[in-house]
Amino acid sequence: MKKLIILFVLLPVFAFSQESLKGQILESSNAKESPLPGANVYWAGSSVGSITNEDGEFSIPYKFSFNKLVISYVGFKTDTLTVSENKFIRHVLQASSELDAVVVKSRNQSTSKSYLKAENTLFVSSDELLKAACCNLSESFETNPSIDVNFADAVSGTKQIKMLGLNSPYILITTENIPAIRGASQAYGLSFIPGTWVESIQITKGAGSVVNGYESIAGQINAELVKPTTDDKLFVNAYGSVNGRLELNTHLNTKLSEKWSSGLYLHGNTRNQKFDNNDDSFLDVPLKQQINVLNRWQYTNGEKGIVSFINLRYLNDHTQSGQVGFNPDTDRGTTNFWGSEIDTERFEVTTKLGYVNPEIPYQSLGFQTAFSYHKQASYFGLNLYDIAHNSFYSNLVYNSIISDSRHKIKTGLSFTYDHYDEFVNTDAYERTENSVGAFGEYSYDDLDKLTMTAGLRVDQHNRLGFFVTPRFHLRYTPWEKSAWRFSVGRGKRSANIFAENQNMFSSSRQINILNSGGKIYGLDPEIAWNYGISYLQGFNLFERKADITFDFYRTDFKNQVVVDWENPFEVTFYNLEGDSYANSFQLEFNYNAFEGFDIRTAYKYYDVKTDYISGKLQKPLIPEHRLFANGSYETKEKENGSLWKFDATYNWLSSQRYPSTDLSPAEFQLPENSPTVGTLNLQVTKVFSSNFEVYLGGENVTNVRQQNPIISADNPFGANFDSNFVYGPIFGSMYYAGLRYRIK
């Protein structure tokens, strides 16, 4: 069996090369020729084909027996060219209609779904990120129905995300396909990536690609960063809010030579005003200071097919939370006032090298490396937690085809190294993890109805042992504008129980670990299978574009590190004994009601249950039902580039199960479920020109607020203190304003 696995993984490396025909397809409009992306190019009588890129260029396998080249595109006349030799082709397609008065215009959608990819992936552009107070990645999903965003606790102000009913540790979060939010950065790392640095986001539900590792269980979120060659020469975003938050982002991009470009991205935010609108003596939002610097170098040599990136990044983040009267200089380590400080310092170096064979463009080689040093020193009242995490990651990926462009393969090798030093109150924990892996992925595309991706990777891990990770994705299009998708895959990961659950320190709970002899805190690794089915259908409704999507995903844990909150005086970690699963159903409807006005609505149902020591229970603080609605309107752009943009997002959450408080004194007991909650966010943007715009918005404008989110807030050093029963907003309404200025 191992020999067959190794053969599958390594055989594609030796895939042969073959001769290829290159060319460019153009369209003619107003006597001007321009590239035509997305045109179909294929050999008549065969299934060998290609699609033109954004520059209208194509490359297709060539054999002497191929002599009839067919070129087609919707709305254009289909042409068949006779090819007698392998010579560059430049061809102009003619529109199928000669009606000169017809002008067709379209807007780029801020979010889109592919009808062609095997994976169920949502593409989110930078325009979508600007629709909310998106100052970091944790705040960039407010207008997205696939991701749930909520507060981790009532003290730290940290926002956490969920996908398919599972917390962010079960989501592989990457920047440019390099794992970024993991280990020590799991709890707060999303707030360390400024929103203006993000060019686009790809959200993939279910099992991800084996190319990116074995840890993905619920899905993958990949953030593409802005590039020095395509970003503005100068970009400035200034932001301020009524809760005291001030932020400044500046991008400086320079073309140093024909091949080298560099970008300097500066981010700073501060909040030094204290707010306690619910009069519980605790800050509604923490005090904060952050400095974040990224220096990005890009090398491009088109003649040799080389693109390379080098990123250098430094972060310093300080957060203070707790009671309004807390002074860290005099009250730290005492019971005068309850307070918390989290000091984080992080340094990163990442590199990417991409090579595309100029003679054989379907052959490419990519190499990625990432080194990070992450140090956090923190305390939460009398609880101490420090962590230092050194991490190294490398990934080598080779791409080619087998026989023709319908059959694509990826294969490669990866290596990871992680060293953790943790100090939890009076206990020290130290461990090293490393793994070596090999992977192979085969993709089939019949250029019409069927797309399939099958992947397999093998890894040898010093603590998880030797294991195999299979992943499979299938897309089938039975009729026009439709896509059925099916996926299945396995994931495995180490649970960093302290780093991933730091909200437990903001309570008086005792921490228990039921040691089972495992190699990570005495616990076993987490293993889960994810199964998914999805249907996407596009159609016209009253002559306007619309689409509807049905998703169902199920995650089955074969082992899970259970985080048990059911005793109000303890939080207990132990290996799963029994069942743990998450069922997620989502119905989504999108509609372009009229020019410039888009509507997105969604309904989501969660069934997430785990066998605890006390029995099988619905996972706490996850609503079974969620309703989402977003409406955005954009006026027609005037000749000077000015326009208005309006956006509104409504979220409704059903009641959520509280962890049991039956053992608490009567005055600290809570009902079984929380109330329902609905929030409304609004934003308006005035674009004065392509260089300057201002925006004004509000979050939770209906001023919904959870009453008394902290249990025993008046006695934070007592046995009943707990800040983890958060189901809704704490601060109430929050209004903000900002401006953006750019020189292109």
Side-chain angles (χ1 to χ4, degrees):
M1 178 63 182
K2 286 188 178 181
K3 290 183 178 179
L4 289 176
I5 292 171
I6 294 171
L7 180 63
F8 173 80
V9 171
L10 299 181
L11 179 60
V13 174
F14 304 103
F16 61 88
S17 11
Q18 64 184 65
E19 197 173 359
S20 60
L21 175 74
K22 300 178 183 179
Q24 184 182 35
I25 308 302
L26 306 102
E27 63 172 316
S28 179
S29 177
N30 298 325
K32 182 181 178 181
E33 295 179 353
S34 57
L36 184 62
N40 296 304
V41 182
Y42 59 94
W43 293 110
S46 81
S47 56
V48 180
S50 181
I51 297 176
T52 56
N53 63 17
E54 60 185 9
D55 297 318
E57 298 172 344
F58 71 90
S59 176
I60 187 171
Y62 173 78
K63 292 193 297 187
F64 184 74
S65 58
F66 294 153
N67 54 18
K68 297 294 184 182
L69 188 68
V70 182
I71 305 168
S72 66
Y73 191 79
V74 177
F76 291 80
K77 296 178 180 179
T78 299
D79 289 342
T80 302
L81 309 181
T82 300
V83 179
S84 58
E85 59 180 324
N86 188 353
K87 184 178 179 181
F88 188 87
I89 291 176
R90 186 179 185 275
H91 184 74
V92 180
L93 280 185
Q94 300 298 321
S96 57
S97 173
E98 299 298 331
L99 298 176
D100 295 335
V102 177
V103 178
V104 179
K105 292 184 178 180
S106 65
R107 294 183 299 121
N108 291 327
Q109 297 295 312
S110 57
T111 63
S112 61
K113 297 178 181 178
S114 172
Y115 288 89
L116 303 177
K117 287 177 63 68
E119 297 83 6
N120 185 8
T121 300
L122 175 69
F123 298 87
V124 181
S125 72
S126 57
D127 290 338
E128 181 70 16
L129 303 181
L130 300 180
K131 289 183 178 181
C134 171
C135 297
N136 59 61
L137 198 58
S138 71
E139 300 165 322
S140 63
F141 302 105
E142 301 283 357
T143 62
N144 189 293
S146 296
I147 304 294
D148 300 306
V149 183
N150 64 291
F151 286 100
D153 57 71
V155 173
S156 68
T158 304
K159 288 187 176 181
Q160 63 180 4
I161 64 172
K162 294 184 177 71
M163 180 191 292
L164 308 184
L166 298 173
N167 293 333
S168 58
Y170 299 109
I171 308 168
L172 178 62
I173 303 175
T174 61
T175 56
E176 300 184 326
N177 288 312
I178 296 176
I181 311 299
R182 58 187 301 274
S185 65
Q186 186 63 247
Y188 312 117
L190 286 171
S191 66
F192 298 158
I193 302 178
T196 65
W197 293 5
V198 179
E199 181 181 74
S200 64
I201 298 175
Q202 298 87 47
I203 302 171
T204 301
K205 290 185 176 181
S209 170
V210 294
V211 175
N212 297 315
Y214 51 81
E215 293 182 325
S216 170
I217 291 177
Q220 178 176 344
I221 298 174
N222 179 58
E224 286 291 326
L225 304 182
V226 293
K227 314 293 191 293
T229 55
T230 56
D231 191 26
D232 301 316
K233 290 183 179 178
L234 171 66
F235 175 80
V236 177
N237 176 34
Y239 167 97
S241 67
V242 296
N243 66 5
R245 180 175 179 176
L246 299 174
E247 182 167 320
L248 180 65
N249 293 278
T250 304
H251 301 185
L252 299 166
N253 293 285
T254 305
K255 186 173 182 179
L256 303 174
S257 67
E258 183 179 347
K259 296 181 175 64
W260 280 98
S261 298
S262 179
L264 182 63
Y265 309 98
L266 307 173
H267 167 91
N269 71 70
T270 182
R271 183 191 288 115
N272 54 20
Q273 300 180 45
K274 296 184 176 183
F275 294 92
D276 180 20
N277 292 335
N278 60 1
D279 296 322
D280 64 356
S281 82
F282 277 76
L283 297 173
D284 294 335
V285 288
L287 308 180
K288 195 172 184 65
Q289 288 183 335
Q290 183 184 119
I291 297 295
N292 207 339
V293 181
L294 171 65
N295 186 205
R296 191 159 161 83
W297 297 79
Q298 181 175 351
Y299 174 83
T300 305
N301 188 331
E303 294 180 358
K304 295 185 178 181
I306 297 175
V307 177
S308 179
F309 292 93
I310 302 173
N311 298 334
L312 306 172
R313 182 180 171 214
Y314 175 76
L315 165 86
N316 190 291
D317 183 87
H318 174 78
T319 301
Q320 179 187 324
S321 57
Q323 291 184 288
V324 175
F326 175 74
N327 182 342
D329 294 332
T330 57
D331 300 327
R332 175 179 177 175
T334 74
T335 57
N336 298 335
F337 294 95
W338 194 98
S340 169
E341 286 188 292
I342 305 171
D343 286 312
T344 304
E345 190 171 33
R346 183 178 177 90
F347 177 72
E348 296 178 11
V349 180
T350 63
T351 65
K352 293 182 66 176
L353 175 63
Y355 170 74
V356 179
N357 190 332
E359 302 299 325
I360 311 172
Y362 51 77
Q363 286 187 352
S364 64
L365 190 68
F367 183 58
Q368 303 168 316
T369 66
F371 168 77
S372 65
Y373 170 74
H374 185 110
K375 183 178 180 180
Q376 175 188 320
S378 53
Y379 62 91
F380 307 81
L382 300 180
N383 288 322
L384 301 178
Y385 180 62
D386 296 339
I387 181 171
H389 179 194
N390 287 297
S391 176
F392 178 78
Y393 167 86
S394 64
N395 202 27
L396 177 68
V397 185
Y398 172 78
N399 294 266
S400 187
I401 66 173
I402 302 174
S403 179
D404 58 57
S405 59
R406 295 175 302 167
H407 308 273
K408 298 182 174 69
I409 57 99
K410 293 181 181 179
T411 188
L413 303 169
S414 62
F415 173 76
T416 61
Y417 169 88
D418 295 283
H419 181 78
Y420 299 92
D421 275 307
E422 295 177 281
F423 186 77
V424 183
N425 291 325
T426 59
D427 298 321
Y429 298 85
E430 181 181 1
R431 79 179 191 275
T432 297
E433 296 189 27
N434 57 67
S435 68
V436 178
F439 56 85
E441 188 174 78
Y442 165 74
S443 299
Y444 172 77
D445 187 350
D446 69 355
L447 307 179
D448 185 15
K449 293 185 176 182
L450 182 66
T451 305
M452 179 192 74
T453 301
L456 188 74
R457 68 175 294 133
V458 294
D459 289 272
Q460 178 63 50
H461 192 286
N462 68 321
R463 291 177 182 266
L464 309 187
F466 176 84
F467 56 97
V468 179
T469 304
R471 305 274 172 85
F472 179 79
H473 298 266
L474 178 71
R475 185 273 307 176
Y476 178 66
T477 299
W479 45 77
E480 186 179 4
K481 293 183 180 179
S482 68
W484 280 98
R485 289 185 171 91
F486 171 76
S487 67
V488 60
R490 182 181 189 267
K492 190 171 185 177
R493 63 181 297 272
S494 303
N496 292 283
I497 60 174
F498 300 117
E500 296 168 4
N501 298 280
Q502 294 187 44
N503 53 312
M504 66 185 173
F505 295 122
S506 297
S507 71
S508 294
R509 292 174 181 258
Q510 178 181 330
I511 301 172
N512 298 323
I513 303 174
L514 303 187
N515 192 319
S516 63
K519 296 183 178 180
I520 305 151
Y521 307 107
L523 302 169
D524 296 331
E526 297 189 298
I527 303 172
W529 284 87
N530 183 280
Y531 313 89
I533 187 169
S534 173
Y535 175 63
L536 168 64
Q537 179 66 60
F539 56 94
N540 289 332
L541 180 62
F542 304 115
E543 299 183 349
R544 307 296 300 185
K545 288 184 177 181
D547 64 71
I548 190 167
T549 305
F550 301 88
D551 285 339
F552 176 77
Y553 286 86
R554 179 179 176 88
T555 305
D556 269 318
F557 283 91
K558 301 307 175 185
N559 185 59
Q560 185 179 26
V561 174
V562 177
V563 186
D564 190 338
W565 298 82
E566 300 307 314
N567 184 327
F569 303 106
E570 299 176 351
V571 56
T572 305
F573 299 92
Y574 50 85
N575 287 329
L576 175 68
E577 292 288 343
D579 294 329
S580 181
Y581 61 83
N583 292 325
S584 169
F585 171 78
Q586 181 170 321
L587 170 63
E588 185 176 346
F589 172 70
N590 302 314
Y591 183 44
N592 175 229
F594 53 85
E595 185 175 355
F597 182 57
D598 294 309
I599 298 173
R600 285 184 291 154
T601 61
Y603 164 74
K604 189 149 53 180
Y605 169 75
Y606 285 139
D607 174 28
V608 186
K609 289 187 171 67
T610 299
D611 275 323
Y612 296 94
I613 292 175
S614 54
K616 180 172 288 187
L617 298 170
Q618 180 83 8
K619 194 168 183 180
L621 296 174
I622 294 183
E624 284 191 83
H625 307 277
R626 177 190 174 192
L627 294 176
F628 168 91
N630 174 265
S632 60
Y633 175 66
E634 184 176 310
T635 63
K636 290 184 178 180
E637 184 177 345
K638 297 182 179 180
E639 291 185 2
N640 62 358
S642 66
L643 55 88
W644 287 88
K645 297 179 182 179
F646 303 90
D647 194 86
T649 302
Y650 178 75
N651 273 289
W652 178 85
L653 306 178
S654 69
S655 61
Q656 305 168 46
R657 187 184 75 84
Y658 282 129
S660 175
T661 56
D662 291 346
L663 298 179
S664 298
E667 63 269 29
F668 300 123
Q669 291 183 8
L670 298 177
E672 185 176 346
N673 295 301
S674 74
T676 63
V677 61
T679 58
L680 177 65
N681 298 344
L682 301 173
Q683 181 177 281
V684 58
T685 301
K686 170 59 176 175
V687 180
F688 292 94
S689 68
S690 60
N691 301 105
F692 181 68
E693 60 190 70
V694 297
Y695 56 95
L696 175 69
E699 291 187 343
N700 187 24
V701 296
T702 52
N703 200 33
V704 176
R705 187 185 305 166
Q706 178 178 346
Q707 299 298 321
N708 304 317
I710 300 177
I711 296 178
S712 188
D714 58 345
N715 184 21
F717 296 99
N720 298 286
F721 172 70
D722 203 327
S723 67
N724 291 286
F725 291 80
V726 178
Y727 67 85
I730 301 170
F731 184 78
S733 298
M734 190 278 289
Y735 296 94
Y736 61 89
L739 61 86
R740 303 183 186 100
Y741 176 76
R742 55 175 57 88
I743 298 177
K744 296 185 176 181

